[in-house]
Amino acid sequence: LSDGEGGAEGETQTQGGEDEDEDIVLGQVQRSFKCPLTRKYLEDPVTSAVCKHSYSRAAILEHIRKSAGKRTNPRCPVCNVDIKEDDLSRDKELDRQVRRVVRKGGRSKGERGVVKL
């Protein structure tokens, strides 16, 4: 936890307290078009606000309901964080991307089911 003084570990600050290096380097991001539960192309994709993983709507709702029936906290099948139905939102852009890939025979930029953003 930070006490509000100084920067994060490894950051260098100037005398005025400003960060010297404000550049953010982002690595290559891959987004799968397949549901981690069904291993099939996403159908009516929803994305978790908590962990940003995406799932087929029916599959993740069933997963959440089964967990509730076992009286355990539902967890993301990818990263194991707690998730709730309220954390999920329809992902229209991902739905369009999946439909485009499926129309092309399951290929996007030479890879099967995965696109590099």
Side-chain angles (χ1 to χ4, degrees):
L1 293 174
S2 174
D3 60 2
E5 292 183 26
E9 185 175 324
E11 281 184 358
T12 307
Q13 293 188 344
T14 61
Q15 286 182 336
E18 298 291 323
D19 290 342
E20 280 184 29
D21 187 3
E22 294 180 356
D23 293 337
I24 298 174
V25 179
L26 298 175
Q28 193 173 42
V29 176
Q30 287 188 351
R31 187 163 209 190
S32 177
F33 293 143
K34 294 196 175 180
C35 175
L37 293 163
T38 65
R39 306 256 192 250
K40 296 179 182 178
Y41 283 106
L42 291 162
E43 295 179 16
D44 192 15
V46 293
T47 299
S48 168
V50 176
C51 64
K52 307 302 182 208
H53 288 115
S54 299
Y55 327 89
S56 291
R57 180 179 176 79
I60 192 64
L61 292 178
E62 180 180 348
H63 174 76
I64 289 171
R65 289 182 187 123
K66 282 183 179 179
S67 294
K70 295 178 185 175
R71 296 182 185 207
T72 60
N73 289 338
R75 296 188 174 269
C76 171
V78 178
C79 66
N80 211 32
V81 300
D82 287 353
I83 57 172
K84 302 180 302 247
E85 189 172 343
D86 291 344
D87 298 331
L88 305 174
S89 60
R90 186 165 177 233
D91 196 327
K92 293 178 185 180
E93 178 58 30
L94 181 56
D95 191 34
R96 279 191 289 272
Q97 291 172 350
V98 171
R99 289 174 191 269
R100 194 175 315 126
V101 167
V102 169
R103 272 197 310 270
K104 291 181 179 181
R107 298 200 180 273
S108 175
K109 298 192 179 193
E111 295 195 32
R112 191 170 177 84
V114 175
V115 67
K116 293 180 180 178
L117 302 175

